[in-house]
Amino acid sequence: MLFGKLLPREGNFFEMFNQHGDRIVEAARAFSLLVANYDDIGLRQKYAQDVDNAEHAADRITQEVNRAIHKTFITPIDREQIHSLINTMDDVADLIQDSAETMALYDVRHMTEEMTRLTALSLKCCERLNDAVHLLDRIADAGTAEAALKTCEEIDRLESDADRVMRSAMSKLFREEPDVRELIKLKAIYELLETITDRCEDVANLIEGIVLENS
């Protein structure tokens, strides 16, 4: 009996997934506010710190999940699925932090329309990712499983929208930007922002697999 009490309950994994998803949204919203208030250096620094705080909290949850995998005798879903999901989710939080840090390191002076659009799409992807994650503990219910799959499809559509925005941004950049250094900086930022949505799509694909195998 004591041995059983020492093991984490199955539901702890889903709870930790939910907590991590919440931290991703916190980071994405803080980054969105950073972009919206970029001209205000004080607010920019505040929101950059908020991004860092959310990413560090997400890291701690990732470490907790990876430790729990090795300590739990019976997991609610396949161990490899748990490992892949939490680590891919953590990639999303890392990329948001990387985007904020890269803007500071590259001394980006102003936001372009394309940065604003990619940031908005990244935030929507993160919010929908979190919605899907919060459904995982109830996917035995057919209606919940269907809702999770539909949410994943929406993430796929948002990622496709981000692809189109980035292609347009790159085309405009190479046609119109005369300063090579500025071109290099903006290209790197566009690619990072689009990669956030790519990684959200990776999470969505993992969730789809979990739903289809366990519902």
Side-chain angles (χ1 to χ4, degrees):
M1 186 68 177
L2 177 61
F3 176 70
K5 288 182 178 179
L6 291 173
L7 295 174
R9 296 179 181 178
E10 289 187 357
N12 283 357
F13 285 103
F14 294 123
E15 181 181 343
M16 288 187 284
F17 291 153
N18 292 346
Q19 291 170 358
H20 197 292
D22 291 342
R23 301 295 81 75
I24 288 173
V25 172
E26 282 183 14
R29 288 176 178 167
F31 181 72
S32 179
L33 288 168
L34 182 156
V35 169
N37 295 276
Y38 199 79
D39 291 337
D40 186 318
I41 295 176
L43 286 177
R44 187 196 309 174
Q45 292 174 342
K46 174 192 181 303
Y47 293 127
Q49 186 60 57
D50 289 345
V51 170
D52 285 346
N53 292 341
E55 191 278 334
H56 294 330
D59 272 347
R60 289 192 292 271
I61 296 166
T62 300
Q63 292 165 6
E64 186 178 354
V65 170
N66 285 321
R67 284 194 298 267
I69 292 173
H70 299 292
K71 295 179 179 179
T72 305
F73 185 63
I74 299 174
T75 56
I77 58 176
D78 182 79
R79 293 172 192 274
E80 186 56 39
Q81 289 176 326
I82 293 171
H83 182 268
S84 296
L85 179 60
I86 196 64
N87 284 287
T88 309
M89 289 174 66
D90 204 51
D91 288 345
V92 176
D94 289 344
L95 284 164
I96 296 169
Q97 183 188 47
D98 288 348
S99 297
E101 288 183 348
T102 301
M103 285 180 179
L105 288 171
Y106 286 12
D107 191 29
V108 173
R109 301 298 178 89
H110 67 280
M111 292 295 99
T112 65
E113 178 188 351
E114 291 78 14
M115 284 184 194
T116 301
R117 292 174 65 193
L118 286 168
T119 297
L121 288 167
S122 296
L123 174 56
K124 287 180 182 178
C125 271
C126 290
E127 290 173 338
R128 299 308 283 151
L129 179 157
N130 195 31
D131 291 340
V133 166
H134 275 69
L135 295 172
L136 279 174
D137 63 341
R138 304 190 305 280
I139 57 173
D141 172 73
T144 303
E146 183 179 356
L149 292 174
K150 285 183 177 178
T151 303
C152 291
E153 290 173 4
E154 185 175 346
I155 293 169
D156 289 342
R157 289 194 294 271
L158 289 167
E159 191 277 334
S160 296
D161 290 344
D163 274 346
R164 286 190 287 272
V165 171
M166 192 184 76
R167 286 196 295 270
S168 174
M170 291 296 191
S171 176
K172 178 180 177 182
L173 188 61
F174 281 94
R175 287 197 320 269
E176 300 180 7
E177 180 53 62
D179 187 328
V180 175
R181 288 177 301 178
E182 191 70 11
L183 185 151
I184 292 170
K185 290 193 293 185
L186 293 178
K187 178 177 181 291
I189 298 298
Y190 292 156
E191 289 174 342
L192 261 179
L193 293 175
E194 198 275 334
T195 304
I196 296 172
T197 65
D198 283 344
R199 201 62 75 246
C200 286
E201 184 181 39
D202 291 341
V203 174
N205 290 337
L206 288 168
I207 291 174
E208 286 178 348
I210 292 170
V211 171
L212 293 173
E213 289 182 28
N214 296 277
S215 60

